[in-house]
Amino acid sequence: MKVGIDMGTGANGAPAMIDLEELLATRLLVQGNSGSGKSHLLRRLLEQSAPWVQQCVIDPEGDFVTLSDKFGHVVVDAARSETELTRIAGRIRQHRVSVVLNLEGLETDQQMRAAAAFLGGMFDADRDHWYPVLMVVDEAQLFAPAAAGEVAEDARRLSLAAMTNLMCRGRKRGLAGVIATQRLAKLAKNVAAEASNFLMGRTFLDIDMARAADLLGMDRRQAEQFRDLQRGCFVALGPAISRRPVAVTIGPVETSARSISPKLLPLPETPPKDAAELIFAAEPEETRPPPRKRAEPPPTPTADIMAQLVRAAETNAANSSAPAEIDEAGRTAMLDRIIGEIVADPEAGFRTNSVLYQDFLVRCRIHRVPGTPLTLSAFRRRLAVARSGVDDEMASGETWRQALALSESLTEDIQGVFLAVARAAIAGEPCPSDARLATIYGTHSPSRARRLLTYFEERGLLVVRKDLRGGRVVNFPDLGCETAPGDPNAPDDILEPRDAAE
Ligand SMILES: Nc1ncnc2c1ncn2[C@@H]1O[C@H](COP(=O)(O)OP(=O)(O)OP(=O)(O)O)[C@@H](O)[C@H]1O
Ligand SMILES: [Mg+2]
């Protein structure tokens, strides 16, 4: 079936058409600087093709959620576990529902992980459900960056792999990638190269222009024309559009973007005195005390550390004239006591391991621990065990040794969380809440802690399930034990007394 999608006006005022079936087979790349009209173009394409094909929009700004009113797209809020997103994506393919994956409000690496999980679910759908889907990804350079950047490396790898799958191997599975980017030079080359159709909008930077010229098979001089394009005007090329580069002016859209370009408006004529009052006047609710927030704890003042040092030095001097010989067991006990002191400080949860390590070294000097100091890595390891709250009796058991062995496969920064849940399971205690796990992980974000559980589950280390009352139970197949049901949303009770005292 041949379906033409009307994108606006082409040369000589004739309608600029995209052959939808050809587009599904040959994919599309849109590039243009911020404000050149890419999102508007994608919206036009989505609106015009909505009656003909299932659509899925990966939307970092939450711009496309407005498609739901007029065209019935279901908005999938991405603030969920990766397992859930993958499952939802599978159902979307099964039931052929058009959706917008709204990633607004998530941190960049969370956006990448969520998009990767979702795209993975779309890609891995059952062969019976490989119906054609237009997969539109706005700001594609976020999900398929050309170079390693500020984001976590594993998030970058996951999302780049998902985008590569979409563009390189998606066609056979019915997935037709339509991707838009502000900066072609920032988009991974292999992802860009898989599109055979291009719509190039206004482009200022030479490096982007050069990449665009390469993709379109133009010489650099011809590509200069991209600099002068008006907003909403694109040079189009590809089997689904035209065999020769043509200028296209994108037509109007029926739904509106949530974010619009700022327009100049006359300033209000407010005398300066009133303006100051308007700004500084208190809101009625401000007269009440603000809701208590858990503030970032201040660092331990240097004076306090010095005082501790002096006190300890005095005690030591009083107790012994020469440092006593200490055996290995004695030294281990001292180290355990010191690490125990550090973990007992409620503020320690929010300190980085390297800050805690400095504190640890100071305390070792205070207590005159003999022998070579622990390395940072050995310290982290003991800290993870101490944070899990394991007692001596459990620590000497075989199951705990197995739990420790399992935790070895994880990076040191997340071992503590794993061991804390394992400890609860071995003791048959309720599964710790997200808030508790967040504190152990050293973050204020319970959703991050929740994602860690999903990560452990994906690695086959544990299985998370809900009991009939909705309590969370974590089972450790290798350890043969599971936690009692726990409320994932319970506050971090270990911090509560301190908060209450504030
Ligand atoms: N063809 C067009 N006709 C009318 N208005 C347009 C057209 N293209 C873009 N606009 C308007 O220009 C503004 C910027 O467009 P848009 O948001 O699509 O830019 P963008 O390229 O996606 O920018 P960014 O990369 O910053 O997201 C919007 O307010 C949009 O409504
Ligand atoms: Mg945009």
Side-chain angles (χ1 to χ4, degrees), residues 32-41 63 138-139 182 231-232 250-251 259-261:
N33 290 153
S34 181
S36 58
K38 301 177 299 295
S39 301
H40 179 100
L41 182 158
D63 245 4
D138 202 0
E139 309 291 357
Q182 288 183 356
R231 162 181 294 175
I250 306 301
S259 60
I260 47 163
S261 298

Side-chain angles (χ1 to χ4, degrees), residues 30 44 88 118-119 148 153 165 187 252 255 268 305 408 451 484:
V30 183
R44 170 90 184 184
I88 291 171
F118 186 83
L119 286 170
E153 183 54 22
N165 269 344
L187 182 68
T255 55
I305 296 178
E408 301 278 356
R451 258 196 280 279

Side-chain angles (χ1 to χ4, degrees), residues 235-431:
V235 173
L237 177 70
I241 315 171
S242 158
R243 301 271 159 194
R244 304 250 175 287
V246 288
V248 173
T249 305
I250 306 301
V253 291
E254 297 169 44
T255 55
S256 56
R258 278 207 319 182
S259 60
I260 47 163
S261 298
K263 293 255 181 314
L264 283 176
L265 286 174
L267 291 168
E269 289 177 7
T270 318
K273 186 169 159 290
D274 294 355
E277 264 171 32
L278 287 174
I279 295 171
F280 297 122
E283 287 288 329
E285 59 262 31
E286 281 179 38
T287 47
R288 276 183 260 127
R292 202 176 53 233
K293 264 213 274 187
R294 187 185 292 156
E296 199 66 42
T300 311
T302 315
D304 287 2
I305 296 178
M306 296 306 287
Q308 281 179 12
L309 274 167
V310 171
R311 266 201 308 279
E314 283 169 0
T315 325
N316 279 333
N319 288 349
S320 66
S321 40
E325 283 281 305
I326 286 201
D327 58 14
E328 200 41 48
R331 177 179 135 88
T332 308
M334 286 178 94
L335 292 175
D336 284 346
R337 203 168 52 243
I338 292 173
I339 293 178
E341 281 172 21
I342 293 176
V343 172
D345 183 339
E347 296 186 359
F350 304 109
R351 296 268 184 264
T352 62
N353 281 346
S354 52
V355 167
L356 295 180
Y357 183 57
Q358 295 306 324
D359 182 28
F360 167 76
L361 291 179
V362 171
R363 286 174 194 254
C364 283
R365 288 219 305 280
I366 293 171
H367 292 289
R368 292 179 193 263
V369 178
T372 340
L374 288 186
T375 60
L376 173 60
S377 159
F379 167 73
R380 280 205 198 118
R381 181 99 197 93
R382 276 171 186 258
L383 190 68
V385 173
R387 277 183 167 156
S388 70
V390 66
D391 60 21
D392 289 347
E393 194 190 332
M394 189 188 289
S396 56
E398 177 55 25
T399 322
W400 180 253
R401 280 210 306 111
Q402 280 176 352
L404 277 180
L406 287 178
S407 76
E408 301 278 356
S409 68
L410 301 166
T411 52
E412 280 158 352
D413 56 328
I414 57 177
Q415 286 174 354
V417 177
F418 177 81
L419 289 173
V421 187
R423 192 205 66 80
I426 298 170
E429 289 174 8
C431 175

Side-chain angles (χ1 to χ4, degrees), residues 200-247:
M200 297 294 173
R202 188 174 52 197
T203 305
F204 291 124
L205 292 183
D206 288 344
I207 178 167
D208 294 325
M209 213 140 36
R211 288 279 308 277
D214 284 349
L215 284 173
L216 267 61
M218 287 178 163
D219 64 39
R220 305 278 158 101
R221 204 172 35 79
Q222 271 180 300
E224 282 285 322
Q225 60 177 301
F226 300 144
R227 241 190 255 279
D228 304 321
L229 288 168
Q230 298 293 318
R231 162 181 294 175
C233 293
F234 289 78
V235 173
L237 177 70
I241 315 171
S242 158
R243 301 271 159 194
R244 304 250 175 287
V246 288

Side-chain angles (χ1 to χ4, degrees), residues 46-128:
L46 287 161
E47 289 182 357
Q48 296 289 319
S49 62
W52 302 105
V53 67
Q54 186 190 349
Q55 309 179 327
C56 171
V57 189
I58 308 288
D59 183 6
E61 309 279 346
D63 245 4
F64 291 91
V65 296
T66 49
L67 288 172
S68 72
D69 294 339
K70 188 150 180 138
F71 296 93
H73 290 62
V74 174
V75 177
V76 179
D77 189 349
R80 315 165 180 267
S81 78
E82 284 154 48
T83 320
E84 253 180 300
L85 286 170
T86 307
R87 192 181 56 226
I88 291 171
R91 300 237 174 101
I92 286 168
R93 296 218 67 187
Q94 180 184 358
H95 300 292
R96 309 188 62 188
V97 181
S98 287
V99 296
V100 176
L101 177 68
N102 182 8
L103 296 153
E104 187 190 12
L106 298 186
E107 289 167 28
T108 309
D109 61 341
Q110 291 175 322
Q111 289 191 327
M112 294 172 106
R113 282 181 224 275
F118 186 83
L119 286 170
M122 296 292 288
F123 188 82
D124 292 330
D126 206 285
R127 182 180 271 274
D128 293 342

